[in-house]
């Protein structure tokens, strides 16, 4: 489904930017955390802010803070 959506976006010239996330503080997120963060970035780019907020809360529950920038995000492991 997502691949088809990307193809439509690309054809229309509005493909959302992929974000590479940098990690702040040294500890790298596992693949599940990374996938959630990418899903959140995509939802945010598609203006699905309720979904993006839900995913941010899920990441925070897993011990990761999301730091947004204009064209990318960073993940930082929280102390909790």
């Amino acid at each position: 489904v997502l691949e088809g959506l990307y193809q439509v976006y690309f054809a229309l010239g509005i493909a959302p930017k992929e974000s590479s996330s940098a990690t702040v503080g040294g500890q790298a997120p596992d693949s599940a955390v990374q996938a959630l963060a990418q899903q959140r970035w995509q939802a945010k780019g598609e203006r699905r802010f309720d979904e993006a907020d839900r995913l941010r809360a899920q990441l925070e529950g897993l011990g990761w803070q999301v730091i947004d920038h204009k064209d990318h995000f960073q993940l930082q492991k929280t102390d909790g």
Side-chain angles (χ1 to χ4, degrees):
V1 173
L2 288 178
E3 182 62 33
L5 185 59
Y6 278 121
Q7 290 175 358
V8 171
Y9 281 154
F10 182 77
L12 295 173
I14 56 172
K17 288 185 176 180
E18 286 290 324
S19 173
S20 59
S21 69
T23 303
V24 177
Q27 185 174 352
D30 64 25
S31 60
V33 168
Q34 186 68 25
L36 285 173
Q38 285 292 343
Q39 289 173 11
R40 182 194 165 272
W41 184 256
Q42 181 178 342
K44 186 177 174 215
E46 294 171 356
R47 304 185 60 80
R48 293 184 292 120
F49 298 117
D50 288 343
E51 177 72 4
D53 290 345
R54 184 188 69 74
L55 290 165
R56 178 187 287 272
Q58 191 172 352
L59 287 161
E60 288 172 352
L62 294 171
W64 291 93
Q65 177 185 8
V66 181
I67 303 165
D68 287 326
H69 298 277
K70 181 179 177 179
D71 60 355
H72 69 283
F73 63 90
Q74 292 177 297
L75 294 170
Q76 181 173 3
K77 186 70 174 151
T78 59
D79 292 335

